[in-house]
Amino acid sequence: MTIVPDERNAPAILSALQPEPSLEPSSGPSTVPLPLPIPMPARLGPPKMPLATPFGTAFGAVYRGQLARSKVGRIPLLFVASFQSIGILVLLRGILDVDNSIAAGQVVAGSTVLVVAFVALDLLAQRFGALRAAGALDYYLTLPIPPVAVVLGTAASYATFAAPGTVITAVVGALLYNLPITGLWLLLPVVVLSGVCLAGLGAVVGLMAPRPELATIAGQLGMSIVLFLGVIPADRLPEIGRVARDVLPSSYAVDALAAAFQPGVDWSKVVLDLAVCAAVGIAALTVAAVTLRRVGTA
């Protein structure tokens, strides 16, 4: 079946198909304008990597993630971190001469720093040893975050639950040994700087250990060294013990906090001790960041 157009509408159809006459005079043969060329898409270069996340944002993200995981064991952590240090204070109370304020101040300061060492050195070494064994470090390396933020964020999540233990240990120790508590404001910089220092060392131990069991043993051994060289007064150690104490960075934090319990504080020595902790902490975190990249890409 064919459709034949109506002849009566043919003139109208033909006139609609013809172009309208131009009002401008024509100087030559009429030309039909060509369509504009379609622009070609720009040549794509190599894919751009996402910009690195600022340290504060990355630290907060890692901290919140690890904090949510650590909530499961917060009660045992608070109990163990506080009970063992207070137990040492009670044990040495019956042996130490309370009238010797220098030795008493060092015992209290050493027991307080021990809480930090338990979290930052022992538990962090176990945590990073377990992350390496499970292959979970590759996840952090795929994110555009600084490796230092991973170390500090993980350490800060554990330190959040151990912070009350440091305050309780320092206050109970000062009351138990009849020491003044007016200088306990120095506890804040001591805990922060010693925590950064020991957290860096704990992360290095956990990342370098080939097996998580070895990371656990190394972390517990390091905490025992911090215990004996921090709690025992320096003048009662043998010569080799004094040399080892000078090498141990946590002993400088112990000396800085012990000065807070004395009537006359040598602030230049306190600042120098804290500067040593800060320098060792920066160096340890740098080594931990390099080790984290090396282990994750191995």
Side-chain angles (χ1 to χ4, degrees), residues 18-49:
Q18 293 179 355
E20 296 182 357
S22 177
L23 299 177
E24 297 181 357
S26 177
S27 59
S30 61
T31 58
V32 180
L34 298 176
L36 296 176
I38 300 175
M40 297 297 293
R43 184 173 298 177
L44 299 177
K48 295 183 179 181
M49 298 298 293

mmCIF file of all heavy atoms in Angstrom, residues 18-49:
data_model
loop_
_atom_site.group_PDB
_atom_site.id
_atom_site.type_symbol
_atom_site.label_atom_id
_atom_site.label_comp_id
_atom_site.label_asym_id
_atom_site.label_seq_id
_atom_site.Cartn_x
_atom_site.Cartn_y
_atom_site.Cartn_z
ATOM 1 N N GLN A 18 11.442 24.923 0.393
ATOM 2 C CA GLN A 18 12.380 25.854 -0.227
ATOM 3 C C GLN A 18 12.884 26.846 0.810
ATOM 4 O O GLN A 18 12.140 27.292 1.678
ATOM 5 C CB GLN A 18 11.683 26.598 -1.360
ATOM 6 C CG GLN A 18 11.320 25.700 -2.539
ATOM 7 C CD GLN A 18 10.601 26.469 -3.635
ATOM 8 O OE1 GLN A 18 10.299 27.661 -3.467
ATOM 9 N NE2 GLN A 18 10.304 25.789 -4.736
ATOM 10 N N PRO A 19 14.161 27.235 0.734
ATOM 11 C CA PRO A 19 14.690 28.215 1.694
ATOM 12 C C PRO A 19 14.110 29.579 1.447
ATOM 13 O O PRO A 19 13.725 29.922 0.331
ATOM 14 C CB PRO A 19 16.205 28.172 1.452
ATOM 15 C CG PRO A 19 16.332 27.706 0.038
ATOM 16 C CD PRO A 19 15.185 26.760 -0.207
ATOM 17 N N GLU A 20 14.039 30.365 2.517
ATOM 18 C CA GLU A 20 13.490 31.714 2.405
ATOM 19 C C GLU A 20 14.477 32.603 1.665
ATOM 20 O O GLU A 20 15.697 32.467 1.809
ATOM 21 C CB GLU A 20 13.225 32.280 3.801
ATOM 22 C CG GLU A 20 12.163 31.513 4.578
ATOM 23 C CD GLU A 20 11.922 32.130 5.913
ATOM 24 O OE1 GLU A 20 12.626 33.121 6.233
ATOM 25 O OE2 GLU A 20 11.051 31.639 6.657
ATOM 26 N N PRO A 21 13.950 33.521 0.826
ATOM 27 C CA PRO A 21 14.857 34.412 0.082
ATOM 28 C C PRO A 21 15.562 35.366 1.021
ATOM 29 O O PRO A 21 14.994 35.878 1.983
ATOM 30 C CB PRO A 21 13.900 35.137 -0.878
ATOM 31 C CG PRO A 21 12.577 35.096 -0.204
ATOM 32 C CD PRO A 21 12.522 33.786 0.523
ATOM 33 N N SER A 22 16.845 35.582 0.763
ATOM 34 C CA SER A 22 17.644 36.491 1.589
ATOM 35 C C SER A 22 17.374 37.913 1.187
ATOM 36 O O SER A 22 17.226 38.231 -0.002
ATOM 37 C CB SER A 22 19.136 36.164 1.434
ATOM 38 O OG SER A 22 19.897 37.063 2.172
ATOM 39 N N LEU A 23 17.290 38.806 2.186
ATOM 40 C CA LEU A 23 17.048 40.208 1.920
ATOM 41 C C LEU A 23 18.296 40.932 1.480
ATOM 42 O O LEU A 23 18.227 42.025 0.941
ATOM 43 C CB LEU A 23 16.468 40.885 3.169
ATOM 44 C CG LEU A 23 15.114 40.319 3.657
ATOM 45 C CD1 LEU A 23 14.693 41.018 4.940
ATOM 46 C CD2 LEU A 23 14.044 40.434 2.583
ATOM 47 N N GLU A 24 19.484 40.367 1.788
ATOM 48 C CA GLU A 24 20.741 41.003 1.415
ATOM 49 C C GLU A 24 21.069 40.674 -0.022
ATOM 50 O O GLU A 24 20.772 39.581 -0.516
ATOM 51 C CB GLU A 24 21.867 40.518 2.334
ATOM 52 C CG GLU A 24 21.623 40.905 3.789
ATOM 53 C CD GLU A 24 22.755 40.429 4.663
ATOM 54 O OE1 GLU A 24 23.664 39.770 4.117
ATOM 55 O OE2 GLU A 24 22.732 40.715 5.872
ATOM 56 N N PRO A 25 21.714 41.599 -0.718
ATOM 57 C CA PRO A 25 22.081 41.316 -2.122
ATOM 58 C C PRO A 25 23.133 40.243 -2.175
ATOM 59 O O PRO A 25 24.052 40.197 -1.371
ATOM 60 C CB PRO A 25 22.587 42.666 -2.636
ATOM 61 C CG PRO A 25 23.032 43.398 -1.417
ATOM 62 C CD PRO A 25 22.100 42.970 -0.316
ATOM 63 N N SER A 26 22.996 39.392 -3.124
ATOM 64 C CA SER A 26 23.944 38.293 -3.295
ATOM 65 C C SER A 26 25.000 38.693 -4.280
ATOM 66 O O SER A 26 24.698 39.179 -5.374
ATOM 67 C CB SER A 26 23.198 37.041 -3.777
ATOM 68 O OG SER A 26 24.106 35.995 -4.012
ATOM 69 N N SER A 27 26.235 38.518 -3.903
ATOM 70 C CA SER A 27 27.341 38.863 -4.785
ATOM 71 C C SER A 27 27.884 37.677 -5.539
ATOM 72 O O SER A 27 28.786 37.816 -6.343
ATOM 73 C CB SER A 27 28.474 39.496 -3.970
ATOM 74 O OG SER A 27 28.904 38.587 -2.993
ATOM 75 N N GLY A 28 27.409 36.556 -5.263
ATOM 76 C CA GLY A 28 27.937 35.378 -5.944
ATOM 77 C C GLY A 28 26.997 34.232 -5.770
ATOM 78 O O GLY A 28 25.878 34.375 -5.271
ATOM 79 N N PRO A 29 27.417 33.088 -6.168
ATOM 80 C CA PRO A 29 26.570 31.915 -6.022
ATOM 81 C C PRO A 29 26.328 31.617 -4.547
ATOM 82 O O PRO A 29 27.197 31.805 -3.691
ATOM 83 C CB PRO A 29 27.381 30.810 -6.695
ATOM 84 C CG PRO A 29 28.784 31.298 -6.659
ATOM 85 C CD PRO A 29 28.713 32.779 -6.789
ATOM 86 N N SER A 30 25.140 31.212 -4.206
ATOM 87 C CA SER A 30 24.785 30.902 -2.824
ATOM 88 C C SER A 30 25.501 29.647 -2.365
ATOM 89 O O SER A 30 25.625 28.673 -3.110
ATOM 90 C CB SER A 30 23.270 30.704 -2.700
ATOM 91 O OG SER A 30 22.867 29.619 -3.518
ATOM 92 N N THR A 31 25.965 29.718 -1.135
ATOM 93 C CA THR A 31 26.671 28.582 -0.538
ATOM 94 C C THR A 31 25.960 28.167 0.726
ATOM 95 O O THR A 31 25.437 29.005 1.475
ATOM 96 C CB THR A 31 28.129 28.924 -0.207
ATOM 97 O OG1 THR A 31 28.136 30.026 0.674
ATOM 98 C CG2 THR A 31 28.908 29.263 -1.483
ATOM 99 N N VAL A 32 25.945 26.889 0.975
ATOM 100 C CA VAL A 32 25.341 26.348 2.197
ATOM 101 C C VAL A 32 26.406 26.305 3.292
ATOM 102 O O VAL A 32 27.494 25.738 3.062
ATOM 103 C CB VAL A 32 24.777 24.941 1.943
ATOM 104 C CG1 VAL A 32 24.161 24.383 3.219
ATOM 105 C CG2 VAL A 32 23.751 25.005 0.826
ATOM 106 N N PRO A 33 26.192 26.930 4.490
ATOM 107 C CA PRO A 33 27.228 26.917 5.540
ATOM 108 C C PRO A 33 27.473 25.509 6.049
ATOM 109 O O PRO A 33 26.545 24.736 6.277
ATOM 110 C CB PRO A 33 26.634 27.811 6.631
ATOM 111 C CG PRO A 33 25.156 27.772 6.396
ATOM 112 C CD PRO A 33 24.981 27.654 4.903
ATOM 113 N N LEU A 34 28.749 25.202 6.173
ATOM 114 C CA LEU A 34 29.133 23.895 6.673
ATOM 115 C C LEU A 34 28.968 23.845 8.189
ATOM 116 O O LEU A 34 29.110 24.869 8.883
ATOM 117 C CB LEU A 34 30.580 23.586 6.304
ATOM 118 C CG LEU A 34 30.878 23.512 4.800
ATOM 119 C CD1 LEU A 34 32.351 23.289 4.571
ATOM 120 C CD2 LEU A 34 30.066 22.406 4.143
ATOM 121 N N PRO A 35 28.658 22.683 8.732
ATOM 122 C CA PRO A 35 28.547 22.582 10.208
ATOM 123 C C PRO A 35 29.895 22.816 10.878
ATOM 124 O O PRO A 35 30.963 22.521 10.311
ATOM 125 C CB PRO A 35 28.054 21.143 10.408
ATOM 126 C CG PRO A 35 28.478 20.417 9.189
ATOM 127 C CD PRO A 35 28.408 21.408 8.055
ATOM 128 N N LEU A 36 29.837 23.385 12.081
ATOM 129 C CA LEU A 36 31.065 23.648 12.820
ATOM 130 C C LEU A 36 31.758 22.346 13.198
ATOM 131 O O LEU A 36 31.098 21.354 13.515
ATOM 132 C CB LEU A 36 30.757 24.444 14.097
ATOM 133 C CG LEU A 36 30.197 25.848 13.867
ATOM 134 C CD1 LEU A 36 29.854 26.496 15.192
ATOM 135 C CD2 LEU A 36 31.181 26.696 13.060
ATOM 136 N N PRO A 37 33.092 22.323 13.208
ATOM 137 C CA PRO A 37 33.795 21.084 13.577
ATOM 138 C C PRO A 37 33.586 20.759 15.049
ATOM 139 O O PRO A 37 33.560 21.640 15.902
ATOM 140 C CB PRO A 37 35.257 21.396 13.265
ATOM 141 C CG PRO A 37 35.345 22.883 13.331
ATOM 142 C CD PRO A 37 34.027 23.396 12.823
ATOM 143 N N ILE A 38 33.412 19.514 15.309
ATOM 144 C CA ILE A 38 33.226 19.045 16.684
ATOM 145 C C ILE A 38 34.588 19.020 17.380
ATOM 146 O O ILE A 38 35.536 18.410 16.873
ATOM 147 C CB ILE A 38 32.597 17.652 16.705
ATOM 148 C CG1 ILE A 38 31.228 17.696 16.006
ATOM 149 C CG2 ILE A 38 32.460 17.134 18.140
ATOM 150 C CD1 ILE A 38 30.576 16.343 15.879
ATOM 151 N N PRO A 39 34.728 19.724 18.492
ATOM 152 C CA PRO A 39 36.043 19.722 19.159
ATOM 153 C C PRO A 39 36.394 18.340 19.676
ATOM 154 O O PRO A 39 35.568 17.635 20.251
ATOM 155 C CB PRO A 39 35.856 20.726 20.294
ATOM 156 C CG PRO A 39 34.380 20.750 20.545
ATOM 157 C CD PRO A 39 33.734 20.519 19.208
ATOM 158 N N MET A 40 37.631 17.966 19.454
ATOM 159 C CA MET A 40 38.123 16.683 19.926
ATOM 160 C C MET A 40 38.408 16.760 21.423
ATOM 161 O O MET A 40 38.861 17.801 21.923
ATOM 162 C CB MET A 40 39.387 16.290 19.174
ATOM 163 C CG MET A 40 39.166 16.095 17.682
ATOM 164 S SD MET A 40 38.021 14.755 17.353
ATOM 165 C CE MET A 40 39.012 13.377 17.918
ATOM 166 N N PRO A 41 38.140 15.706 22.148
ATOM 167 C CA PRO A 41 38.442 15.736 23.590
ATOM 168 C C PRO A 41 39.935 15.842 23.836
ATOM 169 O O PRO A 41 40.754 15.364 23.044
ATOM 170 C CB PRO A 41 37.877 14.400 24.094
ATOM 171 C CG PRO A 41 37.853 13.524 22.890
ATOM 172 C CD PRO A 41 37.572 14.427 21.709
ATOM 173 N N ALA A 42 40.264 16.520 24.937
ATOM 174 C CA ALA A 42 41.681 16.685 25.272
ATOM 175 C C ALA A 42 42.305 15.335 25.583
ATOM 176 O O ALA A 42 41.663 14.428 26.115
ATOM 177 C CB ALA A 42 41.821 17.620 26.478
ATOM 178 N N ARG A 43 43.557 15.225 25.209
ATOM 179 C CA ARG A 43 44.272 13.970 25.427
ATOM 180 C C ARG A 43 44.478 13.760 26.929
ATOM 181 O O ARG A 43 45.008 14.622 27.630
ATOM 182 C CB ARG A 43 45.611 13.993 24.705
ATOM 183 C CG ARG A 43 46.388 12.696 24.794
ATOM 184 C CD ARG A 43 47.609 12.741 23.907
ATOM 185 N NE ARG A 43 47.217 12.892 22.508
ATOM 186 C CZ ARG A 43 48.115 13.023 21.518
ATOM 187 N NH1 ARG A 43 49.398 13.040 21.792
ATOM 188 N NH2 ARG A 43 47.690 13.156 20.278
ATOM 189 N N LEU A 44 44.018 12.633 27.415
ATOM 190 C CA LEU A 44 44.118 12.337 28.840
ATOM 191 C C LEU A 44 45.528 11.951 29.209
ATOM 192 O O LEU A 44 46.179 11.181 28.494
ATOM 193 C CB LEU A 44 43.148 11.209 29.223
ATOM 194 C CG LEU A 44 41.660 11.516 28.979
ATOM 195 C CD1 LEU A 44 40.819 10.304 29.326
ATOM 196 C CD2 LEU A 44 41.213 12.721 29.791
ATOM 197 N N GLY A 45 45.999 12.493 30.332
ATOM 198 C CA GLY A 45 47.328 12.144 30.806
ATOM 199 C C GLY A 45 47.257 10.978 31.778
ATOM 200 O O GLY A 45 46.237 10.299 31.899
ATOM 201 N N PRO A 46 48.340 10.743 32.496
ATOM 202 C CA PRO A 46 48.332 9.661 33.483
ATOM 203 C C PRO A 46 47.374 9.984 34.613
ATOM 204 O O PRO A 46 47.110 11.151 34.917
ATOM 205 C CB PRO A 46 49.795 9.634 33.980
ATOM 206 C CG PRO A 46 50.321 10.992 33.659
ATOM 207 C CD PRO A 46 49.631 11.424 32.415
ATOM 208 N N PRO A 47 46.775 8.990 35.248
ATOM 209 C CA PRO A 47 45.815 9.248 36.334
ATOM 210 C C PRO A 47 46.484 9.956 37.497
ATOM 211 O O PRO A 47 47.629 9.659 37.863
ATOM 212 C CB PRO A 47 45.351 7.840 36.737
ATOM 213 C CG PRO A 47 46.435 6.933 36.274
ATOM 214 C CD PRO A 47 46.999 7.551 35.033
ATOM 215 N N LYS A 48 45.780 10.928 38.048
ATOM 216 C CA LYS A 48 46.317 11.704 39.160
ATOM 217 C C LYS A 48 46.041 10.980 40.472
ATOM 218 O O LYS A 48 44.933 10.508 40.718
ATOM 219 C CB LYS A 48 45.685 13.098 39.197
ATOM 220 C CG LYS A 48 46.052 13.949 37.977
ATOM 221 C CD LYS A 48 45.447 15.342 38.102
ATOM 222 C CE LYS A 48 45.828 16.204 36.910
ATOM 223 N NZ LYS A 48 45.261 17.566 37.025
ATOM 224 N N MET A 49 47.074 10.919 41.307
ATOM 225 C CA MET A 49 46.914 10.327 42.625
ATOM 226 C C MET A 49 46.227 11.319 43.552
ATOM 227 O O MET A 49 46.395 12.530 43.418
ATOM 228 C CB MET A 49 48.289 9.942 43.206
ATOM 229 C CG MET A 49 49.035 8.908 42.395
ATOM 230 S SD MET A 49 48.131 7.343 42.307
ATOM 231 C CE MET A 49 48.241 6.849 44.025
#
